[in-house]
Amino acid sequence: MEEKKSFLKEKIDINSPNKNIVPISTSIGSDGKLSIGGCSIEELVKRYDSPLYILDEITLRKSCRAYKKALEKYYPGKSLPIYASKANSSIFMSNLVASEGFGLDAVSEGELLTALKGGVPNKHIVFHGNNKSDKEIEFAVKNNIKVIVDNDYDLERLEELSNSFDQDLEIMIRFTPGIECHTHEYIRTGSFDSKFGFGIEYLNNLFARISNIKHLKLKGIHAHIGSQIFELDPHKDLGEIMVNVILEAKKFGHDIEELNVGGGLGIKYTENDDPPSIDEWVKTISTSIVKACKKQNIDLPTLMCEPGRSIVSTAGITIYKIGAFKEIPGITTYLSVDGGMSDNPRPITYQSNYSACLVSNPFNFNSKKKYTIAGKHCESGDVLFKEIELADCKTGDLICVFGTGAYNNSMSSNYNRIPRPAALLVFDGEAEVIQKRESPLDLLRYDVLPDRFIKQN
Ligand SMILES: *Cc1c(COP(=O)(O)O)cnc(C)c1O
């Protein structure tokens, strides 16, 4: 039998899961088939159906611990890693990150409620967003959750709230440091032309204004420069810029105690990707801040960082079942699966690439052919893989797509009224449901037919 190079044979780095394509607990059973967390994927699909999201607990915990360990090693002051919950928000994820000593970043009442339900301590939650509703801001303030002020509108409402409660409020402000990094423009946030945060050139003005607001205490500054970043230099620069901002704020009487550098570390989706390790990323940003503080002779602030993708992406896989084939001679063979852009909108949104294999033949034994893997939605662009080499496969076979833990479930939709997949957690041979599969009937729950329309049957 012919066997070629496969990403499944790469050595797994257990200390920095973002450097692997596959979850740490990936293995090939004695039957030659794929298993995760000690669970046969074929068995899981028999029991829970497809498409199926699966999260590997070991990979999640190793990712969290890599951040914790590196912060303790390179940052002698106080630090708090904060999980950016938009990557994958659930009661389970909130609970897991809290159990690893992480805080959580939320950008809506829904994400805030999920964090609280999952047991994240209020004081470890930060509330982001460039257009928070009045209700959301009030909810955060009443629950002692720190608001990250993104713009003047936030500031005005917090001023009013603090006055009406006659109570001091600690705030952080978000600014755009003017750093360009090489990532997709939709996920680049640190350059001057961004909808998020105050431009760095307005900060002195802002500091003066906040000094005149009785109950608002400026405790921290925040910047987030983008996502899926492979370079280290932008974060090194960010550390220096932020320490300079602390110095500027001092001139206006603000004692900045918290410095939040955002997230953004990239992960390995395909063999072409080579992101830095979690250790290297934390080392770069920590060293830059420690050096700059020493040079300026100021105390080290509490360091916060907000990883999302690098915590959860590699831990997640999605399993699809193959349905129809359509061969277009001389062009390609379409192979359609039972999910697509509703459970993974990243390929159609960002042209993002993934790695995949057949569950029953993960190493691609036997003759290979190039396929286009299409989703089942009514969009020609609903294509998960443009050209992927797979061994002979047939209707009913399962495909595993790797690296889907982040920005899949959280960005999923019900386009074409397709119910969301179930999500499982696997660990040590056991699988547990962390999100129930939606049913088509669930999707009708909020439909209303006005009385004057006659029921047709
Ligand atoms: C998206 C986001 C993050 C997380 O980014 P990742 O690339 O997933 O690590 C952190 N902070 C803020 C403010 C964000 O918007």
Short mmCIF file of all heavy atoms in Angstrom, two decimals, residues 3 12 74 102 122 131 148 171 192 194 196 200 221 291 300 333 337 339 366 374-375 400 404 422 424 427-428 443:
data_model
loop_
_atom_site.label_atom_id
_atom_site.label_comp_id
_atom_site.label_asym_id
_atom_site.label_seq_id
_atom_site.Cartn_x
_atom_site.Cartn_y
_atom_site.Cartn_z
N GLU A 3 1.83 4.93 0.92
CA GLU A 3 1.56 5.87 2.00
C GLU A 3 2.48 7.06 1.84
O GLU A 3 3.69 6.89 1.72
CB GLU A 3 1.82 5.19 3.34
CG GLU A 3 1.52 6.07 4.52
CD GLU A 3 1.83 5.36 5.83
OE1 GLU A 3 2.04 4.14 5.81
OE2 GLU A 3 1.89 6.04 6.84
N ILE A 12 3.73 16.09 17.53
CA ILE A 12 2.82 17.03 18.19
C ILE A 12 3.55 17.77 19.31
O ILE A 12 4.20 17.17 20.15
CB ILE A 12 1.58 16.28 18.74
CG1 ILE A 12 0.72 15.81 17.55
CG2 ILE A 12 0.77 17.15 19.67
CD1 ILE A 12 -0.52 15.06 17.95
N TYR A 74 7.94 34.91 32.41
CA TYR A 74 8.53 36.11 31.80
C TYR A 74 8.02 37.41 32.38
O TYR A 74 8.53 38.47 32.07
CB TYR A 74 8.30 36.12 30.28
CG TYR A 74 8.89 34.93 29.58
CD1 TYR A 74 8.06 33.98 28.98
CD2 TYR A 74 10.27 34.74 29.53
CE1 TYR A 74 8.60 32.88 28.34
CE2 TYR A 74 10.81 33.65 28.90
CZ TYR A 74 9.98 32.71 28.31
OH TYR A 74 10.50 31.62 27.68
N PHE A 102 -8.32 31.71 34.15
CA PHE A 102 -8.43 32.77 33.16
C PHE A 102 -9.61 33.70 33.49
O PHE A 102 -10.61 33.26 34.05
CB PHE A 102 -8.71 32.17 31.76
CG PHE A 102 -7.48 31.84 30.97
CD1 PHE A 102 -6.48 31.04 31.51
CD2 PHE A 102 -7.32 32.33 29.68
CE1 PHE A 102 -5.35 30.72 30.77
CE2 PHE A 102 -6.20 32.03 28.93
CZ PHE A 102 -5.21 31.22 29.46
N ASN A 122 -16.92 37.78 38.36
CA ASN A 122 -17.24 39.09 37.76
C ASN A 122 -16.00 39.96 37.61
O ASN A 122 -15.83 40.63 36.60
CB ASN A 122 -18.25 39.85 38.63
CG ASN A 122 -19.51 39.06 38.84
OD1 ASN A 122 -19.46 37.86 39.10
ND2 ASN A 122 -20.65 39.72 38.73
N ASN A 131 -20.09 49.39 20.11
CA ASN A 131 -21.43 49.97 20.16
C ASN A 131 -22.29 49.24 21.19
O ASN A 131 -23.26 48.57 20.85
CB ASN A 131 -22.10 49.95 18.78
CG ASN A 131 -23.30 50.85 18.72
OD1 ASN A 131 -23.46 51.76 19.53
ND2 ASN A 131 -24.18 50.59 17.78
N ILE A 148 -14.60 48.33 29.11
CA ILE A 148 -13.50 48.91 28.32
C ILE A 148 -14.11 49.97 27.43
O ILE A 148 -14.90 49.68 26.53
CB ILE A 148 -12.78 47.82 27.52
CG1 ILE A 148 -12.34 46.72 28.49
CG2 ILE A 148 -11.62 48.44 26.73
CD1 ILE A 148 -11.12 45.95 28.15
N ILE A 171 -12.43 52.12 35.03
CA ILE A 171 -12.58 51.85 33.61
C ILE A 171 -11.22 51.59 32.95
O ILE A 171 -10.17 51.92 33.51
CB ILE A 171 -13.25 53.03 32.86
CG1 ILE A 171 -12.46 54.33 33.10
CG2 ILE A 171 -14.69 53.19 33.27
CD1 ILE A 171 -12.86 55.46 32.17
N PHE A 192 -4.61 52.77 12.04
CA PHE A 192 -5.35 54.00 12.31
C PHE A 192 -6.79 53.93 11.82
O PHE A 192 -7.70 54.43 12.44
CB PHE A 192 -4.62 55.19 11.67
CG PHE A 192 -3.33 55.51 12.35
CD1 PHE A 192 -2.12 55.36 11.69
CD2 PHE A 192 -3.32 55.92 13.68
CE1 PHE A 192 -0.93 55.64 12.33
CE2 PHE A 192 -2.12 56.19 14.33
CZ PHE A 192 -0.92 56.05 13.65
N SER A 194 -9.55 52.10 11.86
CA SER A 194 -10.24 50.97 12.49
C SER A 194 -11.47 51.51 13.19
O SER A 194 -11.49 52.64 13.68
CB SER A 194 -9.30 50.31 13.51
OG SER A 194 -10.04 49.45 14.35
N PHE A 196 -12.52 50.38 15.91
CA PHE A 196 -12.39 50.14 17.35
C PHE A 196 -11.50 51.17 18.04
O PHE A 196 -10.43 51.50 17.54
CB PHE A 196 -11.77 48.76 17.60
CG PHE A 196 -12.59 47.62 17.09
CD1 PHE A 196 -12.19 46.93 15.96
CD2 PHE A 196 -13.77 47.24 17.72
CE1 PHE A 196 -12.94 45.87 15.48
CE2 PHE A 196 -14.52 46.19 17.25
CZ PHE A 196 -14.10 45.49 16.13
N ILE A 200 -4.69 56.96 18.81
CA ILE A 200 -3.66 57.28 19.79
C ILE A 200 -3.44 58.79 19.88
O ILE A 200 -3.12 59.33 20.94
CB ILE A 200 -2.35 56.51 19.47
CG1 ILE A 200 -1.37 56.58 20.64
CG2 ILE A 200 -1.71 56.97 18.17
CD1 ILE A 200 -0.21 55.61 20.53
N ILE A 221 -5.29 50.46 30.26
CA ILE A 221 -5.37 50.74 28.83
C ILE A 221 -5.35 49.42 28.07
O ILE A 221 -4.79 48.42 28.53
CB ILE A 221 -4.21 51.64 28.35
CG1 ILE A 221 -2.85 51.05 28.77
CG2 ILE A 221 -4.38 53.05 28.89
CD1 ILE A 221 -1.68 51.83 28.21
N LYS A 291 11.24 45.76 29.82
CA LYS A 291 12.35 46.63 29.41
C LYS A 291 11.94 48.09 29.40
O LYS A 291 12.65 48.96 29.93
CB LYS A 291 12.78 46.26 27.98
CG LYS A 291 14.02 45.41 27.91
CD LYS A 291 14.54 45.43 26.47
CE LYS A 291 15.62 44.37 26.27
NZ LYS A 291 15.67 43.96 24.86
N LEU A 300 5.90 47.93 37.28
CA LEU A 300 5.24 47.08 36.29
C LEU A 300 3.74 47.07 36.53
O LEU A 300 3.29 46.82 37.64
CB LEU A 300 5.75 45.64 36.41
CG LEU A 300 7.14 45.33 35.88
CD1 LEU A 300 7.45 43.84 36.06
CD2 LEU A 300 7.26 45.71 34.41
N THR A 333 -13.93 17.32 -9.29
CA THR A 333 -15.04 16.51 -8.80
C THR A 333 -15.55 17.16 -7.52
O THR A 333 -14.79 17.37 -6.57
CB THR A 333 -14.58 15.07 -8.49
OG1 THR A 333 -14.13 14.49 -9.70
CG2 THR A 333 -15.72 14.24 -7.93
N VAL A 337 -20.87 17.79 1.35
CA VAL A 337 -21.01 17.30 2.72
C VAL A 337 -22.28 17.85 3.35
O VAL A 337 -22.93 18.75 2.80
CB VAL A 337 -19.77 17.66 3.58
CG1 VAL A 337 -18.53 16.95 3.06
CG2 VAL A 337 -19.56 19.17 3.63
N GLY A 339 -22.83 19.75 5.85
CA GLY A 339 -22.78 21.06 6.54
C GLY A 339 -22.23 22.07 5.57
O GLY A 339 -22.49 21.98 4.37
N ASN A 366 -3.90 4.40 -0.75
CA ASN A 366 -4.54 4.11 -2.05
C ASN A 366 -4.65 5.35 -2.95
O ASN A 366 -4.30 6.44 -2.56
CB ASN A 366 -5.92 3.48 -1.89
CG ASN A 366 -5.84 2.15 -1.19
OD1 ASN A 366 -4.81 1.48 -1.31
ND2 ASN A 366 -6.86 1.79 -0.48
N ALA A 374 -17.71 20.72 -1.16
CA ALA A 374 -18.74 21.77 -1.12
C ALA A 374 -19.68 21.54 0.04
O ALA A 374 -19.94 20.40 0.44
CB ALA A 374 -19.52 21.75 -2.42
N GLY A 375 -20.20 22.64 0.57
CA GLY A 375 -21.24 22.57 1.59
C GLY A 375 -22.60 22.37 0.92
O GLY A 375 -22.69 22.32 -0.31
N CYS A 400 -12.99 14.58 8.38
CA CYS A 400 -12.66 15.36 9.58
C CYS A 400 -11.92 16.62 9.14
O CYS A 400 -10.90 16.54 8.48
CB CYS A 400 -11.77 14.52 10.51
SG CYS A 400 -11.17 15.47 11.92
N THR A 404 -11.06 23.74 13.76
CA THR A 404 -12.33 24.45 13.66
C THR A 404 -12.90 24.90 15.02
O THR A 404 -14.04 25.34 15.10
CB THR A 404 -13.39 23.57 12.96
OG1 THR A 404 -13.56 22.37 13.74
CG2 THR A 404 -12.99 23.21 11.55
N ALA A 422 -24.48 19.44 16.92
CA ALA A 422 -24.18 19.23 18.33
C ALA A 422 -22.69 19.46 18.53
O ALA A 422 -21.90 19.37 17.60
CB ALA A 422 -24.53 17.79 18.72
N LEU A 424 -19.47 18.19 21.12
CA LEU A 424 -19.07 17.23 22.15
C LEU A 424 -17.74 17.63 22.73
O LEU A 424 -16.91 18.26 22.06
CB LEU A 424 -18.88 15.84 21.54
CG LEU A 424 -20.03 15.18 20.79
CD1 LEU A 424 -19.56 13.81 20.26
CD2 LEU A 424 -21.24 14.99 21.71
N PHE A 427 -12.61 13.36 26.29
CA PHE A 427 -11.50 13.24 27.23
C PHE A 427 -11.42 11.79 27.70
O PHE A 427 -12.42 11.23 28.17
CB PHE A 427 -11.71 14.17 28.44
CG PHE A 427 -10.66 14.01 29.51
CD1 PHE A 427 -9.36 14.44 29.29
CD2 PHE A 427 -10.97 13.41 30.72
CE1 PHE A 427 -8.38 14.29 30.26
CE2 PHE A 427 -10.01 13.25 31.71
CZ PHE A 427 -8.71 13.69 31.48
N ASP A 428 -10.25 11.19 27.54
CA ASP A 428 -9.97 9.90 28.14
C ASP A 428 -11.05 8.84 27.80
O ASP A 428 -11.55 8.15 28.68
CB ASP A 428 -9.87 10.08 29.67
CG ASP A 428 -9.09 8.93 30.30
OD1 ASP A 428 -8.36 8.24 29.56
OD2 ASP A 428 -9.22 8.73 31.52
N LEU A 443 -35.95 25.86 14.98
CA LEU A 443 -35.74 27.07 14.18
C LEU A 443 -37.04 27.82 13.92
O LEU A 443 -37.03 28.95 13.48
CB LEU A 443 -35.06 26.72 12.85
CG LEU A 443 -33.78 25.90 12.97
CD1 LEU A 443 -33.14 25.73 11.61
CD2 LEU A 443 -32.80 26.57 13.93
#
